[in-house]
Every structure is written in C-alpha cells, then in structure tokens.
Amino acid sequence: MDKYAVLKEYFGHREFRSGQSELIDHILSGCDVLGIMPTGAGKSLCYQVPAVMLGGVTIVISPLISLMKDQVSSLVTAGVSAACINSSLTQEEYAETMRRVCGGECKLVYIAPERLGTQEIDRLVASVDISMVTIDEAHCVSQWGQDFRPSYLHISEFIAGLPRRPIVSAFTATATDTVRDDIVRLLGLHEPFSLITGFDRPNLYFSVIKPQNKYAELRRLLDGFGDKCGIVYCLSRRNVEEVCEKLNADGFSATRYHAGLADSERCANQEDFIYDRKRIMVATNAFGMGIDKSDVAFVIHYNMPKNIESYYQEAGRAGRDGSPAQCILLYGAMDVRTNNFMIEKSREENGELSAEEKDIMLERDRQRLKDMTIYSTTAGCLREFMLKYFGEKAPSYCGNCSSCVNGFEEVDISVDAQKIVSCVFRIKQKGRYFGKNMVIDVLRGSDSARLVSFGFDKLSTYGIMSDVPIHIIRAELDHLIACGYLSFTDDEYPVVELTPASAKIVKERITVKMNLPKKAPKSSRRGDNSSYADDPLFEKLRELRSRLASEANVPAYIVFSDAALRDMCRLRPVTREEFLNVSGVGKRKAERYGDDFCRLIGEHVRANPDEVVVHEREDDPLQRQLDSLREHVVGRASSAPRAWSDEEERQLSDEFSQGTAIVEIARNHKRTNGAIRARLRKMGLIT
Ligand code: ADP
Ligand code: ZN
C-alpha cells in the first residue's frame, strides 16, 4: 500500500496537508526528520502513516498518559493496531499488552520517557524489530523550552543501545533556534531533514478585548457560544476557583483544573470536559498539554499570559480539526503586574541554575512579557504580529482578527508623536518621570488633584490633545514605546522615559505612521459556524455521534470530528460508498459507523425533500479570506455573500490590479497568482 492508500484507508483523508508528504517521504527513505508544525497541523499523521508502512514496530515517546491514551484510541478506532505501556494499566492489562506488543501484534507502541531503561522495555526491544523511534513534543528535551522533562535526556542513550539504529523522527509545535539546536543535539538526530511549516492557523479568529468588567464580558462571550465547548485560562489557581464557581452559580456547565487539586479531581474534571459532560474548562496553564480534543470552539484568556509562545500554544488548542474557532484575550493592565511578579518569583525557585543563567532567563522573560503586552495593546493586525514574532513574513491584513474585522487604517501620527514626546520631556524637566496615565492626563488637560499638585497644569503641553479620545492617545503612546522612541520601565512603579531616539521625533520631526482602529467598529461576525449550527441534520448527527461514542466509551471526537460531521451535512451520503467520500472517514470507520449515519441521513433527506443544501465547501480559509478582503475593501459587511454590486467588483479589481492585498494572500496560502486569479474569476470579480 502506498502512502495515499494508507491515508484514505485508515485516516479517511484524501490529501496530505502542507509538510506532511515531505516528512513522510523522508522517513520512508530512511532519513531522520524534525517536524516543526503548529498545533492542529497534523503532526501525528507524519509518523503514523510511515509506521503503518514500515516493516517493524514504531516506538512513540510521548510525555503524557492522556495524550497516549487519546492517540491509541484514535488509531484503534481507525483500524491500526496500537498500544500504550504506562502506569495507568492494571496488572492484567499490562500483561496482555506486553504479550501483544512483544508478539509483534502492534505497529505503534506509545511509552512515557520515564519507562526507558526499565525491564519491560528491554524485553520489548529484544523481541521485536524497531523500525522507528518517534519523539512527540520533542521540545521537552531542552531546558530552554517551556516544558522541560529531564527524562527526555535519556532518549539518545536508549536509541544508541538498540541492536540496529532505527529511523528517528521528532516533532514539536514550538521551537526557537536554541530549542531546535537542542533537539537535534540532545536526541542525537543524524543529519535530519527539518521542516518548519507556517505557523499560521487560518481557521482561528484572534481577538483582544479590554473590558471594564472581565467577568461580565466573559459571561457575555460564553452566552454567545451556545452549547459549544471551550477553555478559559486564568493566571492563578485562586482565579480559576473564583471564575469557575461564579460560572456554575450563573448556570454554566463549567469545571476546573489546576496543579493544586488532588490528582483524582484533576483527572475526573479533565474527563468530564473531554467526554462533553462539562462544556467549559476553567484552568491554569497546567491544563492542556496532551489534550487532543479536536472540537474546542474557543479559548478565552481571562488574563494575559506571560509570553507569546505560551499564548499561541494555549490559544492553539482551539479548532484543531480545522473548523472556525475563536481565541479571545481579555486584557487588563493588572495582568502585566501579576506576570512580572511571577517572573521574579520563578527566579527564586529555579534552584539548579547559576546566578548568571538566572539573569539571562530573567532578562529574556521580561522581554517576552513586553512583547506579549505589545500584542495585547496593538491596533494592528494580530495575526501579522504573531507570525512576525515567530520569524515569518505576514501580510498586514489577515481579515480574521479583531483588528482587521473592526477595521483599521494607517494614519500619520507625526504631530501627535511630537506632542506626546515633548510632554514626557516637559514632565522630566520638572524633575522626574511618571507613568503612562500621568502623561495622558497632562495631554488631555485633566484637572486631577495629583496632577495640579505637581504643577503640571502649567506645562506648555497641558491639554494640547484634549480633542483626542483617550484610547487613541494610549495606543499612540504604546506605539511610540514599541518603536523605541520612548521606553517604559517595568519595575514596581513603571514610568515612561525618553530614549536616544526621542530626539528624532522632536528635533528631526520624522514621519511616524501607525495602524489605528477605524472610527465606527463593525460588529464581529467571525468564527461562527452558523450555517451548520442552523442545519437540523447537523444536530441529529451530533446526537448519533454522542450515542455511539458513549457506547464505545470514547470521547465523541474520536468517533468523528465536527469537521467530518459538517462534511456529511454537505455531501449527504446515503450509501457506504458515498460515505467513504466524507473527509475523515476511512475503511474501518465506514464499516463500523457507515450504516448508522447513512440511515439517519437517508431518513432526514426523505423527510425533508424540499430542503435546499447551501453549504460551502468546508475548511476553505482562502475563500474566507477573500470574502473578508472584499468586506475590507468595500468597508461594510455584506449579508448576501455571493451577490456583488458593480461598485464592489470595481473596487476589488482595482485592489487586485494594484497587486497588493491579493498577491499577499496568494503568497500566504502558497498558491500561485494564477490560481487566485481563477478563483477571483469564479467569484465574478475579474473577467
Ligand atoms: P497536531 O499533533 O499537529 O496538533 P493532529 O495530528 O492532532 O495535530 O491533527 C489535528 C487534526 O487534523 C486531527 O483532527 C486530524 O484528523 C486532522 N488532520 C491531520 N491530517 C489531515 C489531513 N491530511 N487531512 C484532513 N485532516 C487532517
Ligand atoms: Zn488581522
């Protein structure tokens, strides 16, 4: 069987996603590989497909039991023989698993790194031929990563001790250059083929909200998500408990998770969430690694996390199956303080590091927190900011983040910049620096007693920006800080200071431009699956799925992902053959579930002969982006997606002929301009 046959037969997919094919080919040719792909990109397939095809057994080293269990259930449901060896097995289960594994009955064996070097693994190695060792979450080998696991350091020793050196493949979602080098070195990869796919997750809608009242905002958001499930991340255990308690009191189906709970409660709560018995998981960052739940529709951060790496990883747990999902950050200025405090505290706790190493870590953590703060306050495209942070090129308009959806425009703020910098300068002349609020108050001409007591109402810059809204001044001030024209200390009493570059603003009067929100924000209509949520068939399919899942005692998403259910709504298959065309349906699943689903769909179609099915092809981020580009160009949300006015057409073709936005989109989606042209023609945009 070739890799395409394996993909369809076991996993039910027709095409490989970006990067998967290359990694698989290299593995099959005997190369070591390192795959760096964002969460949800489909790393598992990159080693599971070759594992099925290679002669012997593949050992997968994975850091968490929950992660292994999930992967093994998925594989077994798909018809691949797999097992895991870990401490959660009973005596009998363990004996039975060892019998199967050592008898060569399993193609994939998942083990925790702590097990390496134990007797049972020695027995395993002596009984079967190991074709490949795969290291999942490979960044755990580096102490510069976020989830260092000392036992990962024994992996290279284990590999070296095998009778024949197997292919070694390593995978991770986040890796800076340092971590990447560590992975190659510490795992002992031999001239690995490395592949980094783009970090972009086009199906995720990113948004930052600065609410007056966080809890009220959270409630409003959760109401909007109906019965979809999602995660609410908080910074502290206390916060988790408070928020979870309030939500339950307000009638939401919520559970909680943090490191301070007893193991048994954590485990039970996690299962409640995974098996859809609880809709909302309120948790600290202790929750999530190894959670493969593919239908998480939203991840809300109740507090700003400590860096962009963590944020992207946590937010990335939404929409793993490619369905539209939302990542919302509720930002409050206090979050910066709390994080600073936690960074200082972790310095004291990091016992095994030298003083010098601690200083380096501290400096790095502070810088990362600053970047996170800039993300939380930027008026520009959020996706662009993050992708650039990870070293990728990105267009300045993504069409699927709060900045882009609300709209912003590039504005020349040179004059405001001069006013702001001279204000800081005037305040400094009075003897000392102050925080952002004081600078803003002086510019706005506030009559606060504190301001007057310092005599700042006599400054020449007092009230010179009284006509500018406060959030705009704040955004401009943040922009000047981000560009280095001013600096912002982050000690206990943070103050705005002048920098050597400040002179460029006041003396050289250089031009400063920035993206500012447009005046009247449109309401967001992103990230919903409304056309499916409204489809009565979708609801029926979901019910059937939960019934089958609970009969098999597996989470619903192991049976079929939401994406697969939506594909059923679109295709409405009524025979097993047609059912095999559904994305995510392989041979085993078609045999096992096909009849039930086809019967249900058949009944539905017969009962509703007049129903018109209008679903677009699922998961087409390009189409979504083109749609929102049109919205951006035309400047208003259109309720009838396919109807184009002459004016709209003209404007978009203008934009196209200027070759700006669309070329960027083409590049971003790795399509040729020709392909985009064809698409635009089909959309009736160009002739
Ligand atoms: P990762 O480990 O990179 O976070 P997973 O391996 O868990 O991602 O895959 C995420 C989701 O993407 C799964 O629901 C999986 O079924 C789906 N997926 C993976 N590869 C493909 C593909 N080639 N076509 C369609 N769906 C895919
Ligand atoms: Zn954007």
Side-chain angles (χ1 to χ4, degrees), residues 381-384 397-401 403-404 408:
C381 171
L382 299 175
R383 179 171 267 103
E384 176 199 16
Y397 176 83
C398 79
N400 199 22
C401 77
S403 299
C404 289
F408 55 82

Side-chain angles (χ1 to χ4, degrees), residues 23-42:
L23 284 163
I24 292 172
D25 289 343
H26 277 86
I27 291 177
L28 291 173
S29 73
C31 239
D32 283 2
V33 304
L34 169 57
I36 302 173
M37 302 162 103
T39 314

Side-chain angles (χ1 to χ4, degrees), residues 206-268:
F206 287 98
S207 137
V208 178
I209 304 176
K210 294 160 198 137
Q212 293 287 346
N213 177 334
K214 280 196 185 181
Y215 183 72
E217 183 64 25
L218 178 67
R219 275 198 55 167
R220 193 186 67 77
L221 290 166
L222 292 177
D223 279 334
F225 284 115
D227 61 356
K228 293 192 188 130
C229 64
I231 308 172
V232 177
Y233 276 113
C234 301
L235 265 184
S236 69
R237 299 174 187 184
R238 215 188 62 209
N239 249 342
V240 166
E241 297 191 344
E242 268 173 29
V243 171
C244 184
E245 204 165 296
K246 277 197 206 160
L247 287 176
N248 277 307
D250 285 335
F252 289 95
S253 158
T255 185
R256 58 186 190 168
Y257 190 105
H258 62 67
L261 299 174
D263 279 357
S264 55
E265 181 183 347
R266 258 188 312 184
C267 208

